[in-house]
């Protein structure tokens, strides 16, 4: 009987085999050598020889990809080396002393801008913000407008700006200053931002417009009364305490400060409308506040058209310090700003009316022709409307007067050049204007632009 081993030859020898013992022995040796001369498969090796040394796999399974073990090692080594090298470079950069270059000092115009804006901070009336950068100023004029000597529609006149070294608050020159500030921000907001003053100047403008909104019933569509001034400066009537009789710190005022109202003040109302309208463009990102300013400007301009008259005609105070010569230039100026703020063509139609331009002095000379000031806004209105023609070109029926304004503006600008003798000049070759009119420190700012 035979029983064959699957891993070799038969285990038993046929008993009928006649070979001798030595032959069988030789035959067995031959069989063993023959069996061992074949290569053993893996199972035979493990069974006969025991656990052996396994071959290393040539590939690495990363789950989503299979890569060569050699490439994997090189890649991993490269990453580790790069990380080490980056860390070493960062350590060297952070530990080695570096030469820091100082920022160049600000130019003269930037310094002048800082000083001009600081002036407005120093002139603030009312409850000052904590970040006001004039340390020697404090709250003042906290009772302004709270007495009963004026219209019930005006209940609170705390805030605003003092005019000069005194503590009077004149709305006419102040509103002109706010209009000029707003115009400068509209045109040069990037310059303000580069100087780090954009938010500051916008805060200055808002301080003024917030006060103007208190000067009349800004929630109404129609008004009959407007506050023009707080405080007195006329000392001809005796030694009663007022803002000129005894100059002092506003924080120490302990006398009554009456409110001057007007009921027929086209120049003042139109200028205040220009201030609110131009500021509404500055604050266009604050839709609620911008809308509030536009509504107030609309109310004021309507009042200026319905109640004709100069604000200083019936006020001895205003006629002494800021006498207005006419209101026609304010109509052109205010109408132009109202158009820019609202897009309502009726305002542009008014601002470009030939009759209005004639009354404003657009077609005749004079000592103030071409001079922009708190009293004469014609030159500024002409520049503003020339800008409208250049950038928007509204065409008929506005083109004729816009072209006229554009030509007049070109002539005025040329007259500022040294080769012309239209204006007097200083030794430093700067223009100055005669006759020199009563002005406010508010005027200093406009010449920066």
């Amino acid at each position: 009987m035979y029983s064959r081993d699957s891993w070799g030859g038969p285990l038993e020898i046929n008993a009928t085999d006649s070979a001798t013992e030595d032959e069988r022995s030789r035959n067995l040796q031959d069989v063993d050598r023959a069996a061992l001369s074949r290569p053993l498969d893996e199972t035979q090796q493990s069974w006969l020889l025991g656990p052996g040394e396994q071959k290393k796999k040539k590939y690495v399974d990363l789950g989503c990809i299979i890569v060569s073990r050699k490439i994997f090692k090189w890649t991993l080594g490269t990453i580790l080396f790069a990380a080490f090298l980056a860390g070493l470079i960062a350590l060297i950069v952070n530990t080695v002393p570096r030469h820091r270059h100082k920022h160049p000092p600000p130019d003269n115009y930037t310094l002048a801008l800082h000083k001009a804006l600081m002036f407005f901070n120093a002139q603030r009336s009312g409850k000052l913000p904590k970040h006001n950068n004039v340390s020697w100023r404090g709250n003042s004029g906290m009772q302004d407008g709270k007495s009963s000597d004026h219209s019930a529609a005006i209940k609170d006149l705390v805030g605003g700006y003092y005019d000069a070294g005194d503590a009077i608050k004149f709305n006419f020159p102040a509103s002109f200053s706010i209009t000029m500030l707003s115009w400068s921000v509209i045109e040069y907001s990037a310059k303000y931002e580069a100087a780090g003053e954009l938010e500051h100047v916008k805060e200055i403008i808002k301080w003024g417009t917030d006060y103007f909104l208190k000067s009349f019933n800004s929630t109404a569509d129609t008004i009959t009364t407007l506050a023009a001034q707080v405080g007195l400066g006329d000392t001809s009537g005796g030694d009663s305490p007022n803002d000129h009789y005894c100059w002092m710190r506003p924080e120490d005022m302990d006398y009554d400060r009456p409110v001057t109202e007007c009921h027929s003040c086209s120049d003042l109302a139109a200028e205040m409308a220009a201030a609110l309208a131009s500021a509404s463009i500055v604050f266009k990102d604050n839709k609620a506040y911008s809308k509030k300013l536009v509504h107030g400007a609309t109310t004021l301009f309507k009042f200026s058209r319905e109640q004709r008259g100069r604000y200083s005609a019936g006020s001895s105070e205003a006629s002494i310090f800021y006498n207005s010569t006419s209101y026609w230039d304010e109509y052109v100026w205010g109408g132009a700003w109202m158009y820019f703020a609202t897009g309502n063509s009726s305002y542009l139609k008014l601002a470009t009316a030939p009759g209005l331009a004639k009354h404003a002095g657009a077609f005749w000379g004079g000592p103030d022709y071409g001079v922009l000031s708190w009293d004469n806004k014609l030159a500024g209105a002409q520049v503003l409307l020339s800008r409208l023609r250049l950038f928007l070109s509204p065409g008929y029926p506005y083109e004729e007067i816009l072209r006229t304004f554009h030509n007049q503006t070109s002539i005025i600008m040329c007259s500022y050049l040294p080769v012309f003798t239209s204006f007097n000049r200083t030794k430093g070759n700067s223009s100055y204007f005669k006759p020199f009119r009563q002005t406010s420190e508010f005027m200093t700012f406009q010449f920066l632009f």
Side-chain angles (χ1 to χ4, degrees), residues 201-222:
V201 70
K202 289 173 71 174
E203 180 187 335
I204 289 172
I205 293 170
K206 190 174 186 299
W207 190 270
T209 54
D210 284 347
Y211 175 73
F212 295 150
L213 290 173
K214 294 180 177 182
S215 300
F216 65 102
N217 186 0
S218 59
T219 61
D221 296 330
T222 301

Side-chain angles (χ1 to χ4, degrees), residues 175-408:
S175 55
F176 171 70
S177 296
I178 295 300
T179 307
M180 293 299 295
L181 278 172
S182 297
W183 191 2
S184 71
V185 173
I186 294 168
E187 296 283 8
Y188 306 112
S189 60
K191 299 292 185 181
Y192 273 111
E193 190 167 14
E197 291 285 5
L198 180 58
E199 294 305 316
H200 183 200
V201 70
K202 289 173 71 174
E203 180 187 335
I204 289 172
I205 293 170
K206 190 174 186 299
W207 190 270
T209 54
D210 284 347
Y211 175 73
F212 295 150
L213 290 173
K214 294 180 177 182
S215 300
F216 65 102
N217 186 0
S218 59
T219 61
D221 296 330
T222 301
I223 59 173
T224 58
T225 303
L226 177 64
Q229 175 182 328
V230 176
L232 297 176
D234 184 8
T235 59
S236 61
D239 57 357
S240 299
N242 67 26
D243 297 289
H244 278 177
Y245 180 80
C246 180
W247 283 17
M248 63 177 66
R249 285 172 15 106
E251 293 81 359
D252 297 332
M253 293 185 301
D254 58 355
Y255 50 83
D256 292 334
R257 288 164 51 80
V259 175
T260 301
E261 295 182 351
C262 66
H263 305 279
S264 178
C265 40
S266 299
D267 37 16
L268 173 59
E271 180 55 61
M272 290 179 65
L276 297 185
S278 58
S280 73
I281 303 173
V282 173
F283 295 103
K284 61 183 179 181
D285 293 334
N286 185 345
K287 294 183 179 179
Y289 189 64
S290 181
K291 185 177 180 180
K292 185 177 183 180
L293 292 174
V294 169
H295 182 268
T298 303
T299 301
L300 284 169
F301 201 77
K302 179 182 177 182
F303 172 61
S304 75
R305 296 287 291 164
E306 292 177 347
Q307 304 294 328
R308 302 289 182 91
R310 293 185 301 115
Y311 94 103
S312 57
S315 170
S316 60
E317 283 282 325
S319 62
I320 294 172
F321 302 108
Y322 291 103
N323 184 47
S324 174
T325 54
S326 78
Y327 51 77
W328 300 106
D329 55 310
E330 277 83 19
Y331 278 163
V332 181
W333 173 250
W337 279 116
M338 290 299 298
Y339 173 72
F340 276 104
T342 66
N344 188 334
S345 60
S346 64
Y347 293 115
L348 181 58
K349 184 178 180 180
L350 174 69
T352 56
L356 205 63
K358 179 181 178 181
H359 285 302
F363 307 118
W364 55 277
D368 292 336
Y369 185 78
V371 179
L372 176 62
S373 71
W374 56 266
D375 181 36
N376 185 9
K377 286 92 176 181
L378 177 62
Q382 289 175 323
V383 171
L384 192 62
L385 291 171
S386 297
R387 186 190 190 283
L388 173 68
R389 179 175 187 251
L390 290 171
F391 288 95
L392 297 179
S393 186
Y396 180 84
Y398 318 108
E399 173 60 23
E400 182 177 355
I401 194 68
L402 290 178
R403 183 174 62 251
T404 300
F405 283 169
H406 190 182
N407 292 337
Q408 290 175 338

